[in-house]
Amino acid sequence: MKQKKVVIIGAGVVGCSTAYYLNKMGQRDVTVIEQGPLFETGGSTSHAPGLVFQVSFSKVLTTLASQTVEAFKALSTDAHPSFYSVGSLEVAHTPDRLEDLKRKAGVAGSWGIDAYVLSPEECLQKSSLINKDGIYGGLYVPSDGIAKPLRAVEEMTSFSKSCGTKFYGHTEVTNIEVVDGQARAVETSAGRFEADLIICCAGFWGPRIGEMAGVTIPLQPMAHQYVFTNNLEELAEEEQEVSMPLIRQQDSSIYFRQVFNGLGIGSYQHRPFPVELNEITKYGEAKDMPSVQPFTPEDFEKPWQDAIEFIPSLKQAGIKKGINGIFSFTPDGMPLLGESQKVRGFWVAEAIWVTHSAGVAKQMAEWIVNGAPTIDLELCDINRFDTYAQSPAYYKPRSIENYEKVYDIHHPFMPPETSRNMRISPFYTRQKTWGAYFNEKAGWEQPQWYEANDPLVRVYEKIILKREGWSSKYWSPIVEAEQLHTRQHVALYDVTATKKRLEIEGDGAVEFLQQLTTSNIDIPVGHVMNTLMLHELAGIKDEIRVIRKSASNFHVLCTGPVEASWIQKQLSPSSQVVIQDVTEKTCTLRVIGSKAKEMLESLASDFFVENKWVNQRAKELFIGNISVLAVYSSYAGMDSLELSTNNDQGLQLWDLLFEAGRPYKLIAAGDRALEALRIESFELRSTKDFWSEHDPYEIGLSHMVDFNKSTFIGREALMDRKENGPKLHLMTLIIDDPTMVVMGYEPVFDKEKVVGFVTSAGYSYSLGKGIVYALLLPEAINENTTFDIEYFGEKYKAQVMKNSTVVV
C-alpha cells in the first residue's frame, strides 16, 4: 500500500473518525490539527444532542447513518457506551403526516431497515409521557438511538495513536499552500505541516479553510434552539442517561430525547438564525464554546407550548437552560465530500451531522485508499455545484430555506422557492409566454409543462390517466396530454439542462477516451456511441454519449458536474488533450414525435432525406442561418432529433422550428412528459436507475463492454465482478392497476420478504399499463415472475415483463 502524508483539519467526530478508518486501512502518516482543545473542541460535536434517526428518503444518507450506528456500537464498552439502542418514534398529528410515515416505512424496507407503523395506542406504549390525543399514528424504528460522539472519539483516537497518528490541539490553521494546483502543506500557528493530501473536516469553519485553498465550500452555519428541562416526575427513578425512545413530532418541528431524569428538546420551529463566520468567537474568547450562541427565549415560547401539549408533565418541570447551537446546512441538504476539482489533494468532509459521521469517515477512507467508495456518493460530492451555486447569493438563501423546511413533508417534485432564475436558456422568454410551469434542474429553469397546452386535456380526456393523492401533487393533466400529443404528432423539448457538454480534443484524445470508457470509441467521424465509464472498483460512474466530430475532436455528453469533474481528473497534467466545458454557451432542443421526420425534412430537405436519416448519427449543418449539431436517434419508437446551437442563436432556432411545425401541430412540451416517454421507451437513466454501486452486468448494459480493449478504468475489477455474479438485477415490471402511480424507491416484496426497490416508474399509453424499473435480488428473480410493490402501506401486484431491453 502506498503511504500518503495526510493532514486532517478538525478533531471533531468527523476528523477523528476519518483518521481512525485511514489507520484501519493501513495508512500510517496521519496528522490531525485542531484549533480548540482535544477532544471537546468547541465545534458542533461538543454540543450535538446525538439523535440518530437513520431512515430518510435518501438511500445514501440512510446507509451512512446505518454504518455510523454499526461503528458506534463496535466502539462501545460496558462502562461507556458510544451508542444507546433505544429506538425512535415519529408521531403524526395530521393525516398527511401519517401517510408520509407509511411511505417512510416503505423506503426503510427498501434500504434494509426494520420500521413499523403504529396506532396511537401503540405509540403510547412506546412512551407513556406523550399525550395521544390528536395523534393519528407513528413510525417506530427499533435500531435508532443516541450517539455519544465524544466517547466514540476517545476509543478511535486511542487506536489512531497506537498507529502513529499525531494530534495537535490549540493549533490554528493560517494558510493552505497550493503549488501548480496541488495542495502541498498546511501552515499553522504551530508551524508548517507538509502533506500529499489535506482533508478539511473543520465543520462550520470549513468555508474559511476552503478559502485559504481557493476552494468554495458552500455551506451556511445556522443556529438551532435546544433546551434541557428540569427533572420530570415520571423519570425520577431513571438511572440511565437514556432508556426511552427518541421522539420526533415533525408537525410541530420538535424532537425529544431523554437526558437522565429530564428531557432535551430541539426545535426547528423558530425563525432562521444564519450565522456568519466573523460572528463566531474562537475557543476561550467567550464564556460558551464557539459553537454555542446565547439562547433567545422569546423564540422558544411557541415550541414550548406545543411541547407541553404533547408531553403534559413538561409544564411542571420547566426549562433548566437553553442554547442556540450552531451547525451546517447546504443548498440541497446533503454533505460535502470528496476531492476538489480545483485543487488536487484538497479533500472535504463537511456539513456532516453526528448521525452520518462514522459512515462518512469510512467511505472517505475507502475513497482515498481504493480510489472509490463502496457506496455511491455522487449526491454528496463537493464538485456537484457549478459556478452559479458557489455564489453566496445562491447557497446562503437556499441553505436557509432547507433549514426552514427540514421537517416539512417533502415531495420529489416540490420546487425550491429561493435562489431561482440562476440559469435560464435563451428559450425562457418564449416558455413564459406559453405559460410554462418551472422547476429547477442543475440551476436551470426547466419547464415541467405548459399551460398553453391545456386545451389538449379536453382532446385526450377519455384517455388521460387521472391521478389522485400523492402522485397528483405538483402535477397537471397537461403532462399526460403532452405525452400523448408527442406520440400522435410532434413536440419540442428544451433539454439544455439535462446534460453536461464537453469538447475533448487534441493529440491523444482517442487514447484518452479509450482508457475512460468500456467501448471501442474509435468510431467513424459523424457516428454517435453510448458507452459507460467505470470507476476503479468497476461501478458505473456514468453512461455517456460520445459524438466524433473529427479525427481528434469529440463532443461528450455526461450526466452532470460530478461526472465532468471525474473525467477531468483522469487527464494527466502532461497530456496534450484539452477538455472544454461548453455547457454554459450551448442550448439544445429535441424534436420528438410521429411527425418529426416530416417536419424536419421541410426545413432542411438536403439533409433530412431517407438515405441520410440514420440512427445514432450526428452532423454539423445549417438550419436557415443557424449552425447546429444535429443528432438523430429513435425515442419511444418515434423519430427524434436533438439540435444544439450557441446561445446567441437559440431563440431564432426556437422560432424557426415553431414556424415550420405549425402544419404538423407542433407544441412545446415539458420535462415531465419527456421523462414519461423515457420510461415508456425502456431507456435507463444514470443516477436514477443505476449508479456507481452497480456494474454493467447487473443493469443489463453488458453490450457496452468490450473486453477486446487491452485496458480501461475498472477492467480487472469488472472481470472479477462478472465471475462472482451480480448482487442485484435491474428488471422491468408491469402493473395492471392504472390507479397505482409509484414514484420511486418503493419496496418490492416476494411474499413477506423485501427483495428490492423501485428506481423509475411511469405509465405507458401504448401498453395501457404501468411500467416499473426495479433493482431485485437475483435469487428472487430465479424463483418468481410476480411480485408485490408496497405503496403507502398497500401492496399491488406486478409482473416481470418479458423480452424487455432491461431484463437481464
Side-chain angles (χ1 to χ4, degrees):
M1 177 185 298
K2 182 180 179 181
Q3 292 293 319
K4 300 175 182 178
K5 190 174 291 185
V6 179
V7 175
I8 297 173
I9 301 171
V13 66
V14 177
C16 291
S17 298
T18 303
Y20 171 73
Y21 280 107
L22 284 170
N23 293 147
K24 289 193 74 172
M25 296 189 72
Q27 290 295 315
R28 293 294 178 260
D29 196 348
V30 179
T31 301
V32 182
I33 298 168
E34 170 57 48
Q35 66 176 344
L38 301 172
F39 285 94
E40 192 165 352
T41 63
S44 298
T45 300
S46 304
H47 74 256
L51 288 77
V52 179
F53 290 92
Q54 296 169 88
V55 181
S56 79
F57 293 103
S58 163
K59 183 177 185 293
V60 62
L61 288 183
T62 302
T63 304
L64 292 172
S66 299
Q67 291 183 349
T68 298
V69 169
E70 182 182 344
F72 280 16
K73 283 183 175 180
L75 292 163
S76 293
T77 65
D78 291 338
H80 299 289
S82 296
F83 190 79
Y84 292 95
S85 296
V86 293
S88 72
L89 177 66
E90 295 185 60
V91 297
H93 277 82
T94 65
D96 285 348
R97 180 69 65 179
L98 181 60
E99 291 302 298
D100 194 55
L101 293 182
K102 291 178 182 178
R103 189 168 68 101
K104 185 177 281 189
V107 298
S110 296
W111 310 152
I113 295 179
D114 292 332
Y116 307 95
V117 177
L118 305 183
S119 68
E121 291 73 22
E122 289 171 322
C123 291
L124 186 61
Q125 291 173 11
K126 294 299 178 185
S127 177
S128 60
L129 293 178
I130 67 175
N131 173 15
K132 74 178 183 69
D133 292 345
I135 293 178
Y136 286 82
L139 180 71
Y140 179 64
V141 180
S143 59
D144 285 348
I146 293 290
K148 301 296 291 182
L150 292 177
R151 291 179 187 170
V153 163
E154 183 178 348
E155 294 297 319
M156 288 188 285
T157 55
S158 176
F159 174 81
S160 293
K161 287 175 180 177
S162 73
C163 296
T165 293
K166 298 179 176 64
F167 293 85
Y168 293 86
H170 297 291
T171 302
E172 184 179 356
V173 175
T174 57
N175 191 39
I176 305 294
E177 182 181 314
V178 178
V179 180
D180 295 329
Q182 173 74 47
R184 295 295 186 190
V186 180
E187 296 175 3
T188 77
S189 57
R192 184 174 182 272
F193 295 84
E194 292 186 353
D196 300 314
L197 189 147
I198 298 167
I199 310 175
C200 180
C201 304
F204 53 74
W205 283 289
R208 183 175 294 167
I209 302 299
E211 186 177 349
M212 295 177 189
V215 174
T216 300
I217 298 180
L219 67 79
Q220 174 63 53
M222 300 289 295
H224 167 68
Q225 289 205 308
Y226 185 74
V227 303
F228 298 88
T229 73
N230 293 306
N231 293 348
L232 276 69
E233 183 177 342
E234 294 92 333
L235 301 176
E237 303 301 319
E238 286 285 352
E239 296 180 358
Q240 295 291 325
E241 178 182 349
V242 55
S243 60
M244 62 175 274
L246 324 178
I247 303 175
R248 196 152 55 177
Q249 186 196 13
Q250 295 193 80
D251 293 307
S252 296
S253 298
I254 311 174
Y255 60 83
F256 305 82
R257 60 150 293 184
Q258 180 189 349
V259 185
F260 292 104
N261 308 110
L263 295 181
I265 307 173
S267 169
Y268 289 96
Q269 194 182 117
H270 59 79
R271 60 192 169 94
F273 299 138
V275 181
E276 298 304 319
L277 286 178
N278 58 14
E279 300 172 359
I280 303 174
T281 60
K282 296 180 182 178
Y283 198 95
E285 291 181 348
K287 178 182 177 181
D288 291 318
M289 65 181 74
S291 60
V292 171
Q293 294 205 326
F295 186 61
T296 51
E298 64 275 12
D299 293 296
F300 204 73
E301 290 178 0
K302 178 62 165 59
W304 180 244
Q305 293 305 313
D306 289 342
I308 290 173
E309 184 176 341
F310 182 58
I311 300 180
S313 55
L314 287 173
K315 184 174 183 179
Q316 184 174 354
I319 297 173
K320 182 191 299 182
K321 69 171 184 177
I323 64 171
N324 286 355
I326 302 173
F327 62 152
S328 302
F329 269 73
T330 59
D332 56 6
M334 300 297 285
L336 304 168
L337 308 177
E339 184 182 23
S340 167
Q341 179 184 355
K342 290 183 178 179
V343 179
R344 297 186 305 276
F346 185 81
W347 289 67
V348 170
E350 292 288 353
I352 300 156
W353 295 3
V354 170
T355 303
H356 311 108
S357 55
V360 163
K362 182 176 185 291
Q363 296 302 319
M364 288 287 289
E366 291 179 358
W367 200 347
I368 289 166
V369 175
N370 297 334
T374 303
I375 66 174
D376 186 273
L377 294 178
E378 172 163 337
L379 295 175
C380 308
D381 197 304
I382 181 66
N383 301 300
R384 67 186 182 272
F385 297 111
D386 275 328
T387 52
Y388 76 93
Q390 297 176 31
S391 162
Y394 172 82
Y395 70 77
K396 286 180 178 291
R398 184 65 65 82
S399 298
I400 293 169
E401 180 182 350
N402 275 329
Y403 180 92
E404 293 179 297
K405 294 181 176 179
V406 68
Y407 274 5
D408 284 3
I409 296 173
H410 295 273
H411 192 279
F413 291 112
M414 182 170 68
E417 297 175 6
T418 59
S419 303
R420 296 295 298 268
N421 297 311
M422 304 301 287
R423 304 168 100 177
I424 56 175
S425 76
F427 319 122
Y428 181 70
T429 54
R430 296 292 187 268
Q431 291 164 348
K432 288 187 70 176
T433 301
W434 280 68
Y437 175 87
F438 290 99
N439 205 333
E440 183 209 68
K441 178 182 283 189
W444 296 93
E445 292 299 311
Q446 181 79 348
Q448 303 300 292
W449 64 81
Y450 293 85
E451 292 295 333
N453 294 327
D454 183 62
L456 295 177
V457 174
R458 290 184 290 278
V459 173
Y460 300 107
E461 62 182 346
K462 293 182 179 180
I463 308 173
I464 285 175
L465 179 69
K466 304 297 189 297
R467 295 192 179 194
E468 296 180 354
W470 182 250
S471 65
S472 68
K473 295 179 182 293
Y474 308 104
W475 170 87
S476 168
I478 296 172
V479 172
E480 315 298 315
E482 290 176 351
Q483 179 183 352
L484 287 161
H485 187 87
T486 303
R487 281 202 158 279
Q488 293 195 16
H489 301 284
V490 62
L492 187 67
Y493 293 88
D494 177 6
V495 294
T496 302
T498 59
K499 295 289 183 181
K500 266 283 191 181
R501 295 177 174 270
L502 308 177
E503 293 284 345
I504 300 178
E505 58 183 328
D507 293 340
V510 174
E511 292 76 13
F512 172 68
L513 286 169
Q514 291 284 42
Q515 176 70 11
L516 194 72
T517 65
T518 58
S519 307
N520 183 358
I521 218 70
D522 194 5
I523 54 179
V525 173
H527 282 231
V528 180
M529 174 174 281
N530 284 13
T531 183
L532 303 174
M533 301 189 300
L534 308 182
H535 63 41
E536 287 80 352
L537 304 181
I540 301 174
K541 191 66 183 174
D542 197 14
E543 179 183 354
I544 64 173
R545 174 183 285 182
V546 179
I547 302 166
R548 192 165 195 173
K549 296 172 68 177
S550 70
S552 59
N553 186 313
F554 294 82
H555 190 78
V556 174
L557 286 76
C558 61
T559 295
V562 172
E563 292 76 16
S565 169
W566 191 81
I567 292 171
Q568 186 71 51
K569 286 178 182 177
Q570 308 314 308
L571 193 64
S572 167
S574 61
S575 175
Q576 300 300 306
V577 176
V578 176
I579 301 177
Q580 183 182 6
D581 187 341
V582 296
T583 309
E584 305 289 346
K585 67 178 184 180
T586 307
C587 57
T588 307
L589 293 170
R590 191 168 187 176
V591 182
I592 307 174
S594 59
K595 302 294 184 182
K597 183 178 177 181
E598 294 176 52
M599 172 191 151
L600 291 165
E601 282 180 346
S602 71
L603 268 177
S605 58
D606 57 332
F607 173 70
F608 300 114
V609 293
E610 192 67 38
N611 62 345
K612 290 185 179 180
W613 190 272
V614 181
N615 194 33
Q616 291 295 81
R617 294 292 188 272
K619 186 175 179 64
E620 293 180 285
L621 68 146
F622 283 95
I623 295 181
N625 70 324
I626 306 163
S627 174
V628 301
L629 174 65
V631 179
Y632 170 67
S633 62
S634 177
Y635 200 75
M638 300 174 288
D639 292 316
S640 167
L641 198 79
E642 193 168 283
L643 303 170
S644 299
T645 189
N646 291 333
N647 282 337
D648 60 349
Q649 291 193 296
L651 192 59
Q652 187 178 1
L653 177 63
W654 174 286
D655 290 342
L656 191 153
L657 290 171
F658 259 99
E659 186 60 32
R662 290 183 190 280
Y664 306 97
K665 298 185 178 180
L666 177 70
I667 63 166
D671 194 52
R672 298 285 290 277
L674 184 63
E675 174 69 358
L677 288 169
R678 174 189 76 81
I679 294 167
E680 193 172 8
S681 67
F682 304 106
E683 181 174 305
L684 304 182
R685 196 175 100 198
S686 181
T687 72
K688 176 63 175 173
D689 298 307
F690 59 89
W691 41 93
S692 66
E693 294 171 22
H694 312 120
D695 65 54
Y697 295 96
E698 295 175 327
I699 308 305
L701 298 177
S702 58
H703 61 280
M704 294 186 182
V705 178
D706 184 357
F707 276 119
N708 292 321
K709 291 172 61 172
S710 59
T711 183
F712 55 82
I713 297 170
R715 185 179 189 275
E716 289 71 25
L718 181 59
M719 293 180 71
D720 290 341
R721 290 176 74 149
K722 179 182 179 183
E723 185 175 346
N724 293 331
K727 296 179 180 178
L728 293 168
H729 272 319
L730 185 68
M731 303 294 290
T732 305
L733 307 179
I734 296 297
I735 302 173
D736 289 330
D737 187 343
T739 65
M740 184 192 176
V741 186
V742 297
M743 302 183 71
Y745 307 138
E746 293 85 0
V748 179
F749 284 81
D750 177 12
K751 299 181 176 64
E752 298 303 314
K753 180 184 177 183
V754 177
V755 294
F757 58 90
V758 172
T759 60
S760 294
Y763 186 77
S764 169
Y765 285 98
S766 56
L767 295 176
K769 300 177 186 292
I771 297 177
V772 171
Y773 302 156
L775 286 162
L776 303 177
L777 294 173
E779 56 267 29
I781 301 166
N782 294 335
E783 297 175 0
N784 295 288
T785 57
T786 302
F787 299 93
D788 291 313
I789 297 175
E790 184 179 289
Y791 187 59
F792 287 93
E794 300 292 330
K795 290 182 179 178
Y796 297 79
K797 292 293 181 186
Q799 304 283 336
V800 173
M801 182 178 182
K802 301 297 184 182
N803 302 319
S804 164
T805 57
V806 186
V807 174
V808 180

